[in-house]
Amino acid sequence: MRAVVSSLQRGYKSAPVFFRGQLVESQDTPERLEAFIAVALEMGLDLIEPPVVVDPLLKSVHEPGYLEFLTEAPGRWPQMMPGVTSLMPNIYPTRHFPARLPQHYLGQAGYYLGDMVSPLTAQTWGAALGSASSAAHAASLVLSGEPVAYALCRPSGHHAHADMGQGFCFLNNAAIAAIVGRTRHARVAVIDVDVHHGNGTQHIFYDRDDVFFTSLHSDPEMTYPFFTGHADEVGSGKGEGFNLNLPLKIGSGDTDYLCALDIAIERIRRFDAGFLVVSLGLDAHESDILGSLNVTSEGFVEIARRLAALRLPTVLVQEGGYTVSQVGNALRAVLSVFAATVK
Ligand SMILES: [Zn+2]
């Protein structure tokens, strides 16, 4: 089993973020990626450097204007604001504003960045591009016959919309992996087990019937991203019936989680997917500093067993997981199951 990580991702450090009313260091630390790499190496996975993802693939998921903003703004912003290296919005086109794109970068930041934990710096684009490249290449490996591959994505991707970064995410790695899968498979399923709703992925595929999206997450009434992730979001137009949200009560443990997982898996079976992308957040683990569920390491083993039992070509795309000292436990649990299936 191979693991993919780009050297572009190494060392990326977020600027400080505005979190729960205070400016603090981001919880998305470079040490997270090093922890994922350490587990992959410890488990004997081959680490591969991916080629940089090509523009047409990026543009099949993301809008050109947004990509231009991500690449241009971090360089131009310090010219407008000498000494300021981080671009973070303080106003957004919320529900009483028309969604129009202003010329000023601060206005554009409000248009293209959905919160205050996703600041742009000169480092952001390279890291996001590297992360997307890891996902795309892992998906290519699976298309070329490997039963499973692990993309060590950081920054994460599942909160990134076609035209908006959010929640530490800028490019939607899982969506990119799904689009790669779609080049050979008529139906692709994406299951998101991160503790937070995969709102970006949902939005990208919301009106499509060829990509089924399902997310298990902590109740959005009480959990980021708050405004999406409810059970009544089922898709729209052609996509109606191809989006399944399974919100769980805060504090839910293995039993409730696995019940919800069985519902998601049954729907993936009925959808008759030929290719599976797992948005592998580890922050539903009981130890996670940003999590609000209580899934144990044994629970993660069972999650992986049930997903592996689908026997689909599978790409594991790393998403959240923030307690660096503990994150290896959940990852080890998942990788051990999938590594055993490919022996
Ligand atoms: Zn998360």
Side-chain angles (χ1 to χ4, degrees):
M1 178 173 170
R2 296 205 269 181
V4 187
V5 62
S6 166
S7 50
L8 290 169
Q9 298 169 242
R10 305 294 283 267
Y12 159 64
K13 187 171 189 306
S14 170
V17 301
F18 208 69
F19 179 72
R20 295 179 183 162
Q22 289 182 301
L23 195 66
V24 298
E25 290 298 313
S26 175
Q27 293 86 0
D28 181 24
T29 60
E31 290 74 29
R32 293 181 60 241
L33 180 62
E34 299 309 317
F36 302 142
I37 291 172
V39 171
L41 289 174
E42 169 202 316
M43 301 199 63
L45 274 59
D46 295 327
L47 279 192
I48 302 180
E49 172 82 27
V52 174
V53 65
V54 293
D55 212 35
L57 179 55
L58 280 182
K59 285 183 176 155
S60 68
V61 169
H62 292 287
E63 290 194 354
Y66 171 59
L67 295 173
E68 192 181 319
F69 169 77
L70 290 179
T71 51
E72 297 289 320
R76 300 246 176 102
W77 177 238
Q79 293 167 13
M80 295 169 69
M81 296 287 293
V84 180
T85 55
S86 158
L87 176 54
M88 182 154 69
N90 54 269
I91 185 164
Y92 303 85
T94 49
R95 63 194 181 283
H96 301 304
F97 293 112
R100 66 190 277 172
L101 179 67
Q103 286 184 22
H104 196 285
Y105 274 128
L106 201 52
Q108 292 198 2
Y111 185 87
Y112 284 130
L113 301 174
D115 60 25
M116 299 177 90
V117 299
S118 317
L120 273 194
T121 68
Q123 275 193 312
T124 310
W125 173 251
L129 188 67
S131 198
S133 303
S134 296
H137 192 58
S140 303
L141 291 174
V142 173
L143 274 192
S144 61
E146 299 197 16
V148 60
Y150 171 45
L152 287 92
C153 293
R154 175 187 175 263
S156 300
H158 71 148
H159 296 304
H161 295 58
D163 62 351
M164 189 173 75
Q166 196 189 355
F168 312 139
C169 302
F170 301 93
L171 298 175
N172 196 306
N173 310 312
I176 288 166
I179 294 296
V180 172
R182 267 293 285 116
T183 60
R184 299 260 181 87
H185 295 276
R187 285 175 299 283
V188 170
V190 181
I191 182 165
D192 189 322
V193 299
D194 189 282
V195 79
H196 305 103
H197 179 232
N199 57 334
T201 317
Q202 168 173 300
H203 189 255
I204 288 166
F205 296 121
Y206 205 60
D207 59 359
R208 288 176 65 152
D209 60 1
D210 57 337
V211 179
F212 173 71
F213 175 69
T214 181
S215 178
L216 291 82
H217 46 266
S218 180
D219 183 0
E221 289 289 343
M222 300 297 291
T223 315
Y224 182 96
F226 298 112
F227 304 108
T228 63
H230 301 277
D232 60 2
E233 296 156 23
V234 296
S236 68
K238 230 172 34 162
E240 192 172 336
F242 296 91
N243 192 87
L244 174 66
N245 284 326
L246 295 159
L248 293 154
K249 264 194 226 140
I250 281 190
S252 295
D254 293 354
T255 305
D256 291 337
Y257 197 97
L258 292 169
C259 276
L261 182 70
D262 285 343
I263 294 167
I265 286 176
E266 176 53 28
R267 286 286 295 276
I268 291 170
R269 278 192 216 281
R270 270 200 275 149
F271 177 64
D272 196 20
F275 189 89
L276 180 68
V277 177
V278 180
S279 260
L280 184 61
L282 303 168
D283 44 8
H285 193 268
E286 58 187 349
S287 69
D288 200 89
I289 48 170
L290 292 188
S292 44
L293 297 180
N294 284 314
V295 179
T296 64
S297 296
E298 295 72 38
F300 272 95
V301 169
E302 197 50 41
I303 290 168
R305 271 197 197 125
R306 294 183 193 191
L307 291 174
L310 278 164
R311 302 213 163 277
L312 288 171
T314 300
V315 189
L316 305 172
V317 177
Q318 184 64 53
E319 304 282 1
Y322 298 96
T323 306
V324 173
S325 61
Q326 296 287 327
V327 79
N329 296 330
L331 182 58
R332 209 172 282 115
V334 172
L335 294 182
S336 63
V337 172
F338 278 98
T341 65
V342 298
K343 272 190 183 147

